[in-house]
């Protein structure tokens, strides 16, 4: 699986958009970009995934660059409950997930 | 909304004892996984299971570990002789196209 690079930590004000970047410059054509988050020691929570098109669901938007070497997860109106570790993972369909250290997002009032 | 469940939420055991961690995957899912997370560390893949057999396992998943799907609904992880370093959160996940995780079992080995 391709390696990803994420900032160690980010801050965001409540109500503002949180934009979390991820670099995956060695991604292969058949690898998807997945985003999960983990709040405290709870089980990782699926957020969104994409192959090459931008995606949006009720939780977030995923913007993937045209060359697929990087992506951005957007939480449009962050709340205090969005404080978590966010993981960007690339993998082939049905493959295992390889977690890195992720980005610690802190949403403050 | 269907979800993955795990029991127990917390298991305390003595070193050398056997433990079985249980998971009920989402009912129509076909792929099953176990991961673990030692306190303060990354989530690590242990094993994947499909069509009643292991499809992939990590170096961590040695002969002390085993998995089975005994009755078509439960998915279990057995650790035969626990060690202190097995203390961790253990997460089960199931998948049709996307992996969904359970809440985890905290295993404490004394």
């Amino acid at each position: 699986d391709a390696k990803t690079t994420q900032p160690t930590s980010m801050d965001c004000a409540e109500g503002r958009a949180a934009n979390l970047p991820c670099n995956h410059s060695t991604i292969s054509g058949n690898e998807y970009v997945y985003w999960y988050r983990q709040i405290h020691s709870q089980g990782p929570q699926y957020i969104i995934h994409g192959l090459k098109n931008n995606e949006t669901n009720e939780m977030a938007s995923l913007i993937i660059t045209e060359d697929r070497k990087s992506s951005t997860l957007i939480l449009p109106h962050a709340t205090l409950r969005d404080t978590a570790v966010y993981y960007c993972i690339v993998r082939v369909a049905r493959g295992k997930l390889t977690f890195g250290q992720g980005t610690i997002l802190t949403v403050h009032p | 909304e269907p979800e993955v469940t795990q029991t127990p939420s917390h298991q305390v055991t003595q070193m050398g004892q056997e433990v079985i961690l249980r998971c009920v995957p989402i009912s129509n899912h076909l792929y099953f996984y176990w991961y673990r997370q030692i306190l303060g560390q990354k989530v690590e893949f242990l094993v994947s299971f499909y069509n009643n057999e292991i499809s992939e396992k990590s170096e961590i998943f040695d002969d002390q570990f085993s998995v089975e799907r005994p009755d078509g609904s439960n998915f279990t992880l057995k650790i035969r002789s626990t060690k202190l370093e097995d203390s961790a959160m253990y997460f089960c996940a199931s998948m049709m196209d996307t992996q969904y995780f359970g809440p985890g079992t905290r295993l404490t080995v004394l």
Side-chain angles (χ1 to χ4, degrees), chain B residues 12-108:
Chain B
V12 180
T13 190
Q14 296 291 326
M15 190 170 55
Q17 295 296 303
E18 175 183 287
V19 294
I20 298 176
L21 310 183
R22 292 183 167 79
C23 168
V24 179
I26 295 172
S27 63
N28 63 337
H29 286 187
L30 300 178
Y31 300 83
F32 312 107
Y33 305 82
W34 283 101
Y35 295 80
R36 79 171 186 191
Q37 186 175 33
I38 295 170
L39 186 64
Q41 298 186 23
K42 296 185 293 187
V43 177
E44 301 173 288
F45 166 77
L46 291 178
V47 65
S48 59
F49 191 84
Y50 169 71
N51 201 25
N52 283 321
E53 61 183 25
I54 291 173
S55 48
E56 187 177 359
K57 60 183 180 180
S58 72
E59 290 178 355
I60 303 167
F61 194 88
D62 61 21
D63 292 343
Q64 293 297 317
F65 292 88
S66 63
V67 290
E68 65 174 1
R69 193 156 153 78
D71 56 13
S73 60
N74 292 287
F75 180 50
T76 63
L77 174 69
K78 182 192 293 186
I79 309 175
R80 263 180 268 284
S81 177
T82 51
K83 305 189 266 291
L84 295 176
E85 54 265 37
D86 294 327
S87 294
M89 285 290 292
Y90 287 80
F91 298 109
C92 171
S94 72
M95 181 179 79
M96 184 62 81
D97 294 308
T98 299
Q99 285 187 39
Y100 293 93
F101 285 76
T105 293
R106 179 174 300 282
L107 176 65
T108 303

